Amino acid sequence: MSVFETIARYSVVPVISIDDAKDALALADALIDAGLPVAEITLRTEAALSAIAQIAKYRPEMCIGAGTVLDEDQLNEVQDAGAGFALSPGLDVATILAARNFGLPFAPGVMTATDIQNAVRFGCGMVKFFPATAAGGLPMLKSLAEPFRHTGLCFNPTGGITLDTMTDWLDHSLVQAVGGSWIATTQDISDGNWDTIRERANIAATVARKFAADNG
Ligand code: 3PG
């Protein structure tokens, strides 16, 4: 199973901004215990690379990826750290080509038809629709995605998605997974609120599983 197929199976990806790498394994354990062993750790903090490396090394059952990957150097770094996939908030052709070169599954961020056209042109199979809610929400995605349906491109919306809205997004046939920071907030990670994170992850995973079961 490819990494994006694995992500599609979970349907919901915790987006993480972690301040201290010492919290990485406890975070991973909370997500694993909750039945949601997947996360995008964003490169927005000093701790991110080390957190990815620890989880990749000591919790191999986690599907661990890197977010906010802005260029080829960072792509190289996250691959060295053991990330199994990477995403970026916008679309940068050089980074897409580097990811293809490295063999690292990569989803660039898209918000316009031009972005999506470039993603298709440069061989992406998955894109991150970002910032999903602020960019026009589901009506915008529906309009944007339709002209590209025949290409087989799939979407991972993130930005402003919550437990209450996640299934609205998952109901779109080209959406394979949603991402969101509500499951494990930076504050809850710093405070060591593992029970809270475990519970939110468990609820999100349960909602995603039920949605999949009810919708074939
Ligand atoms: C991100 O990459 O920042 C994600 O889109 C998370 O957005 P959220 O905080 O609105 O869930």
Side-chain angles (χ1 to χ4, degrees):
M1 191 183 279
S2 76
V3 70
F4 284 138
E5 285 169 344
T6 301
I7 289 170
R9 191 156 60 85
Y10 292 117
S11 307
V12 55
V13 179
V15 177
I16 309 290
S17 193
I18 185 168
D19 282 334
D20 192 332
K22 77 167 172 33
D23 296 326
L25 295 183
L27 167 67
D29 289 339
L31 296 175
I32 291 166
D33 289 351
L36 190 61
V38 57
E40 167 192 343
I41 297 195
T42 62
L43 297 194
R44 297 178 204 167
T45 64
E46 294 277 320
L49 265 183
S50 170
I52 292 168
Q54 288 186 51
I55 294 172
K57 182 166 182 190
Y58 297 111
R59 298 294 185 273
E61 63 270 53
M62 277 286 289
C63 180
I64 188 72
T68 323
V69 175
L70 301 182
D71 57 33
E72 307 97 294
D73 289 344
Q74 289 190 332
L75 199 71
N76 215 344
E77 287 174 343
V78 302
Q79 187 163 48
D80 283 350
F85 64 98
L87 307 96
S88 57
L91 184 145
D92 174 64
V93 171
T95 309
I96 292 175
L97 295 178
R100 191 200 292 173
N101 218 14
F102 294 162
L104 184 67
F106 177 66
V110 299
M111 201 179 79
T112 66
T114 305
D115 294 337
I116 300 173
Q117 198 168 318
N118 270 317
V120 170
R121 178 173 185 189
F122 291 99
C124 300
M126 171 78 91
V127 289
K128 167 172 169 153
F129 178 47
F130 176 81
T133 304
L138 203 44
M140 180 67 162
L141 178 66
K142 282 181 180 161
S143 298
L144 271 180
E146 211 45 48
F148 300 95
R149 179 178 289 280
H150 66 287
T151 68
L153 187 68
C154 293
F155 292 80
N156 172 16
T158 67
I161 296 174
T162 65
L163 178 65
D164 290 339
T165 61
M166 62 179 268
T167 52
D168 298 339
W169 291 94
L170 291 174
D171 199 32
H172 190 289
S173 58
L174 298 182
V175 169
Q176 292 219 326
V178 296
S181 63
W182 86 88
I183 295 167
T185 67
T186 307
Q187 192 65 51
D188 278 331
I189 296 168
S190 296
D191 291 346
N193 290 336
W194 309 123
D195 288 345
T196 303
I197 291 171
R198 194 180 302 110
E199 189 183 341
R200 286 209 207 103
N202 184 261
I203 291 170
T206 303
V207 167
R209 268 197 305 272
K210 183 174 182 328
F211 181 82
D214 290 348
N215 293 275

